[in-house]
PDB file of all heavy atoms in Angstrom:
ATOM      1  N   HIS A 988      64.678  36.353 -80.005  1.00 85.00           N
ATOM      2  CA  HIS A 988      65.587  36.066 -78.892  1.00 85.00           C
ATOM      3  C   HIS A 988      66.319  34.759 -79.173  1.00 85.00           C
ATOM      4  O   HIS A 988      65.738  33.809 -79.700  1.00 85.00           O
ATOM      5  CB  HIS A 988      64.810  35.926 -77.571  1.00 85.00           C
ATOM      6  CG  HIS A 988      63.955  37.103 -77.251  1.00 85.00           C
ATOM      7  ND1 HIS A 988      64.387  38.158 -76.492  1.00 85.00           N
ATOM      8  CD2 HIS A 988      62.665  37.386 -77.591  1.00 85.00           C
ATOM      9  CE1 HIS A 988      63.413  39.043 -76.380  1.00 85.00           C
ATOM     10  NE2 HIS A 988      62.356  38.598 -77.039  1.00 85.00           N
ATOM     11  N   ASN A 989      67.585  34.718 -78.797  1.00 85.00           N
ATOM     12  CA  ASN A 989      68.342  33.474 -78.935  1.00 85.00           C
ATOM     13  C   ASN A 989      69.579  33.569 -78.056  1.00 85.00           C
ATOM     14  O   ASN A 989      69.919  34.634 -77.539  1.00 85.00           O
ATOM     15  CB  ASN A 989      68.738  33.221 -80.388  1.00 85.00           C
ATOM     16  CG  ASN A 989      68.776  31.739 -80.717  1.00 85.00           C
ATOM     17  OD1 ASN A 989      69.103  30.922 -79.861  1.00 85.00           O
ATOM     18  ND2 ASN A 989      68.437  31.395 -81.954  1.00 85.00           N
ATOM     19  N   THR A 990      70.253  32.446 -77.894  1.00 85.00           N
ATOM     20  CA  THR A 990      71.472  32.382 -77.085  1.00 85.00           C
ATOM     21  C   THR A 990      72.570  31.745 -77.918  1.00 85.00           C
ATOM     22  O   THR A 990      72.389  30.654 -78.473  1.00 85.00           O
ATOM     23  CB  THR A 990      71.244  31.559 -75.799  1.00 85.00           C
ATOM     24  OG1 THR A 990      70.182  32.154 -75.048  1.00 85.00           O
ATOM     25  CG2 THR A 990      72.504  31.537 -74.948  1.00 85.00           C
ATOM     26  N   TRP A 991      73.714  32.444 -78.033  1.00 87.00           N
ATOM     27  CA  TRP A 991      74.833  31.961 -78.830  1.00 87.00           C
ATOM     28  C   TRP A 991      76.132  32.041 -78.042  1.00 87.00           C
ATOM     29  O   TRP A 991      76.223  32.765 -77.043  1.00 87.00           O
ATOM     30  CB  TRP A 991      74.958  32.787 -80.120  1.00 87.00           C
ATOM     31  CG  TRP A 991      73.786  32.648 -81.042  1.00 87.00           C
ATOM     32  CD1 TRP A 991      73.308  31.508 -81.586  1.00 87.00           C
ATOM     33  CD2 TRP A 991      72.950  33.705 -81.532  1.00 87.00           C
ATOM     34  NE1 TRP A 991      72.223  31.762 -82.387  1.00 87.00           N
ATOM     35  CE2 TRP A 991      71.981  33.106 -82.385  1.00 87.00           C
ATOM     36  CE3 TRP A 991      72.923  35.079 -81.360  1.00 87.00           C
ATOM     37  CZ2 TRP A 991      70.992  33.847 -83.032  1.00 87.00           C
ATOM     38  CZ3 TRP A 991      71.948  35.821 -82.011  1.00 87.00           C
ATOM     39  CH2 TRP A 991      70.997  35.212 -82.833  1.00 87.00           C
ATOM     40  N   ARG A 992      77.134  31.329 -78.530  1.00 85.00           N
ATOM     41  CA  ARG A 992      78.440  31.273 -77.869  1.00 85.00           C
ATOM     42  C   ARG A 992      79.403  32.270 -78.499  1.00 85.00           C
ATOM     43  O   ARG A 992      79.758  32.139 -79.671  1.00 85.00           O
ATOM     44  CB  ARG A 992      79.018  29.857 -77.965  1.00 85.00           C
ATOM     45  CG  ARG A 992      78.249  28.824 -77.156  1.00 85.00           C
ATOM     46  CD  ARG A 992      78.592  27.409 -77.606  1.00 85.00           C
ATOM     47  NE  ARG A 992      78.078  27.122 -78.939  1.00 85.00           N
ATOM     48  CZ  ARG A 992      78.237  25.953 -79.571  1.00 85.00           C
ATOM     49  NH1 ARG A 992      78.923  24.978 -78.981  1.00 85.00           N
ATOM     50  NH2 ARG A 992      77.726  25.775 -80.774  1.00 85.00           N
ATOM     51  N   LEU A 993      79.796  33.260 -77.705  1.00 84.00           N
ATOM     52  CA  LEU A 993      80.744  34.271 -78.172  1.00 84.00           C
ATOM     53  C   LEU A 993      82.163  33.790 -77.893  1.00 84.00           C
ATOM     54  O   LEU A 993      82.456  33.284 -76.813  1.00 84.00           O
ATOM     55  CB  LEU A 993      80.491  35.597 -77.446  1.00 84.00           C
ATOM     56  CG  LEU A 993      81.386  36.772 -77.836  1.00 84.00           C
ATOM     57  CD1 LEU A 993      81.040  37.249 -79.242  1.00 84.00           C
ATOM     58  CD2 LEU A 993      81.239  37.915 -76.836  1.00 84.00           C
ATOM     59  N   GLN A 994      83.043  33.963 -78.888  1.00 82.00           N
ATOM     60  CA  GLN A 994      84.452  33.588 -78.736  1.00 82.00           C
ATOM     61  C   GLN A 994      85.328  34.793 -79.081  1.00 82.00           C
ATOM     62  O   GLN A 994      85.852  34.894 -80.188  1.00 82.00           O
ATOM     63  CB  GLN A 994      84.802  32.402 -79.638  1.00 82.00           C
ATOM     64  CG  GLN A 994      84.125  31.099 -79.232  1.00 82.00           C
ATOM     65  CD  GLN A 994      84.550  29.939 -80.117  1.00 82.00           C
ATOM     66  OE1 GLN A 994      84.766  30.095 -81.306  1.00 82.00           O
ATOM     67  NE2 GLN A 994      84.677  28.774 -79.514  1.00 82.00           N
ATOM     68  N   PRO A 995      85.482  35.751 -78.112  1.00 71.00           N
ATOM     69  CA  PRO A 995      86.322  36.928 -78.386  1.00 71.00           C
ATOM     70  C   PRO A 995      87.782  36.545 -78.516  1.00 71.00           C
ATOM     71  O   PRO A 995      88.173  35.384 -78.337  1.00 71.00           O
ATOM     72  CB  PRO A 995      86.081  37.821 -77.167  1.00 71.00           C
ATOM     73  CG  PRO A 995      85.653  36.871 -76.088  1.00 71.00           C
ATOM     74  CD  PRO A 995      84.923  35.762 -76.772  1.00 71.00           C
ATOM     75  N   GLY A 996      88.607  37.536 -78.796  1.00 64.00           N
ATOM     76  CA  GLY A 996      90.014  37.270 -79.094  1.00 64.00           C
ATOM     77  C   GLY A 996      90.785  36.594 -77.990  1.00 64.00           C
ATOM     78  O   GLY A 996      91.770  35.906 -78.242  1.00 64.00           O
ATOM     79  N   ASP A 997      90.367  36.779 -76.709  1.00 59.00           N
ATOM     80  CA  ASP A 997      91.127  36.172 -75.609  1.00 59.00           C
ATOM     81  C   ASP A 997      90.846  34.685 -75.449  1.00 59.00           C
ATOM     82  O   ASP A 997      91.426  34.027 -74.593  1.00 59.00           O
ATOM     83  CB  ASP A 997      90.838  36.901 -74.297  1.00 59.00           C
ATOM     84  CG  ASP A 997      89.358  36.893 -73.933  1.00 59.00           C
ATOM     85  OD1 ASP A 997      88.582  36.179 -74.611  1.00 59.00           O
ATOM     86  OD2 ASP A 997      88.983  37.586 -72.976  1.00 59.00           O
ATOM     87  N   GLY A 998      89.899  34.143 -76.244  1.00 61.00           N
ATOM     88  CA  GLY A 998      89.625  32.714 -76.206  1.00 61.00           C
ATOM     89  C   GLY A 998      88.702  32.273 -75.092  1.00 61.00           C
ATOM     90  O   GLY A 998      88.389  31.095 -74.967  1.00 61.00           O
ATOM     91  N   ASP A 999      88.257  33.211 -74.253  1.00 73.00           N
ATOM     92  CA  ASP A 999      87.368  32.878 -73.141  1.00 73.00           C
ATOM     93  C   ASP A 999      85.931  32.869 -73.643  1.00 73.00           C
ATOM     94  O   ASP A 999      85.317  33.900 -73.842  1.00 73.00           O
ATOM     95  CB  ASP A 999      87.555  33.908 -72.021  1.00 73.00           C
ATOM     96  CG  ASP A 999      86.747  33.559 -70.794  1.00 73.00           C
ATOM     97  OD1 ASP A 999      86.316  32.398 -70.678  1.00 73.00           O
ATOM     98  OD2 ASP A 999      86.539  34.447 -69.939  1.00 73.00           O
ATOM     99  N   GLU A1000      85.381  31.677 -73.888  1.00 79.00           N
ATOM    100  CA  GLU A1000      84.045  31.569 -74.467  1.00 79.00           C
ATOM    101  C   GLU A1000      82.992  32.033 -73.477  1.00 79.00           C
ATOM    102  O   GLU A1000      83.009  31.683 -72.303  1.00 79.00           O
ATOM    103  CB  GLU A1000      83.777  30.118 -74.870  1.00 79.00           C
ATOM    104  CG  GLU A1000      82.434  29.924 -75.571  1.00 79.00           C
ATOM    105  CD  GLU A1000      82.268  28.512 -76.095  1.00 79.00           C
ATOM    106  OE1 GLU A1000      82.949  28.168 -77.072  1.00 79.00           O
ATOM    107  OE2 GLU A1000      81.483  27.753 -75.496  1.00 79.00           O
TER     108      GLU A1000
END
Side-chain angles (χ1 to χ4, degrees):
H988 305 268
N989 213 327
T990 302
W991 296 302
R992 292 163 291 180
L993 181 70
Q994 292 183 324
D997 58 9
D999 185 17
E1000 184 174 289

